[in-house]
Amino acid sequence: MNNYIVKSNVNIAKDVYKMILEGDVSKITSPGQFINIAIDGLYLRRPISVCDIDEKTITVIYKVVGEGTLKMSNMKEGTVLDCLTGLGNGFSTQIKDDQSKPLLIGGGVGTPPLYMLAKKLLKEGKQPKVILGFASKEDCFYEEEYKALGLEVEIMTANGSYGSKGFVTNAKLFTDKDYDYVYTCGPIPMLKAIYDNSEVSGQFSFEERMGCGFGACMGCSCKTKYGNKRICKDGPVLVKEEIIW
Amino acid sequence: MVNTKVNLCGITIDNPIIPASGCFGYGKEFSEFYDINILGTFSFKGTTKEPRFGNPTPRIAETPSGMINSVGLQNPGVDTVISRELKEMPEYFNKKVMANISGFSQEEYVYCVERISREDQVGWIEVNISCPNVHGGGMSFGVNPDSAYEITKAVREVSNKPIIIKLSPNVTDIAAIAKACEDGGADGISLINTILSMRIDIAKRKPILANTFGGLSGSCVLPVALRMVYQVYNAVKIPIIGMGGITTAKDVIEMMLAGATAVQVGAANLVNPYACKEIIEELPLVMEKHKINNLEDIIGGAH
């Protein structure tokens, strides 16, 4: 029931891989959700955000940061994986009608979930703009995929080796303030900088070390202005107004 | 047809499979995966008098065949557990539930046990005595027989439900503590709680858990749990709930042979939300294979 077959698993940037899994996609109901993958030889599952889905496949993009993702990067086509899918409270596009110019800001491997979001926003008649931030040129990925959707994309690299030099908050699309809502996913310092420097509302996707990934163990709790929340179940997406840093 | 029913402190349950406290919330999340009414019962999240957020994150570390947690008893407090969680529970669970109570003083235990005992849905009260006693220099209630006896006696007096004392394995002589609880009036003993442990991030040269130490659970602790259940079975006459690393139906049989009347399943639920369902489905097959007709007959069978 929870079995998925690896259809492809390719390196797309430094330590970054794109894996396509075939299986039931029916539980994935919004962008920003994640899947939790059981990996042979490791006790805990590995939560990975969903980049895109179609009728029968799930695309995930992950960076090799530890033992689990290293094992994933070595998985061959045809490998069968036990995955729990449709986990987490993803991005909501049901925001006020007068918010029609969303800005999507992704940092590193925080960029993938914004891709599915961008497609959904487009489908709903909104025209999002996209800022993608990376450490350097060798870390960059998915620029073309976002552009293929017909979106304006600005790339920032910390060392200036590609796109413009600086952080996402230095991007022209960010500083010109021609947006009325922000969706973002990436490292905490980036999220904090966006929170501090944007005047509009938005949704922020967080990361935390998880136990179960489905709300049972309280391993990934955080405090918010709306009460205690579990990053895996009530998050990973929180609205700007509730966040406590 | 094999018989999986067991009598746990005067209440017969359909099978001895009980999700452990802290690994099953109030059952709601698991009811999204399967009908949790197939369970013997479950022990809900450890409950204290006041709401608790618990420890800072990271609260979870991994280890071969196990995990370490330092959640720190996050819970909404006994009053909210009663007014919200227990109120909603009949929508997805219609059996008697096991209430898990924690505290940092004798007064707190007594308050919570007395309060939760009034609830009809509660079948048993499992009292976790692994917490540090704020009036006892931070020493856990469960580390010496005298304080274990005192706390058991105090909660026994304010409840009309079976009292099961949950023991910490971080002690020198588990049998002596179990005996003290029996002497204090306990109706049952459950063990083992998690084993004090840690992991270190070698790149950062710092403990992985924000709380430095946490409790080890998962299949790696099964042999320790078996040993302690075996020892406690020799020391007391009251029923034992065995827990620690149980993942399969074979583990259930092994734990019962060591002396357990029922078992609790903890960490396995977190890595596989269907763990208890799979164990319950597998149990009759394993019983048949080992020519066990009546599960109760094997309790303590390894002695």
Side-chain angles (χ1 to χ4, degrees), chain B residues 33 106 118-119 150 163 180 213 227 252 255 266 302-303:
Chain B
F33 290 102
Q106 185 164 312
R118 296 183 221 156
E119 302 302 314
E150 289 301 325
I163 297 282
F213 305 132
R227 183 265 293 178
V252 175
M255 188 58 87
H303 288 259

Side-chain angles (χ1 to χ4, degrees), chain A residues 20-39:
Chain A
I20 298 175
L21 294 161
E22 189 178 276
D24 176 29
V25 301
S26 64
K27 288 187 183 135
I28 299 170
T29 53
S30 68
Q33 289 183 310
F34 64 95
I35 66 174
N36 215 359
I37 308 175
I39 294 171

Side-chain angles (χ1 to χ4, degrees), chain A residues 12 18 115 141-151 153:
Chain A
I12 58 168
K18 173 176 169 174
Y115 181 74
F141 63 92
Y142 252 52
E143 178 185 10
E144 292 311 314
E145 282 79 355
Y146 278 100
K147 282 186 173 161
L149 298 176
L151 303 180
V153 180

Side-chain angles (χ1 to χ4, degrees), chain B residues 198-245:
Chain B
M198 75 180 295
R199 293 301 306 266
I200 293 167
D201 182 328
I202 62 169
K204 293 180 185 161
R205 301 188 183 193
K206 293 271 185 247
I208 288 177
L209 298 172
N211 191 50
T212 308
F213 305 132
L216 178 66
S217 62
S219 36
C220 59
V221 310
L222 179 67
V224 179
L226 285 166
R227 183 265 293 178
M228 291 195 161
V229 168
Y230 191 95
Q231 289 176 315
V232 169
Y233 183 79
N234 284 333
V236 301
K237 293 188 173 63
I238 50 178
I240 299 165
I241 302 176
M243 78 187 92

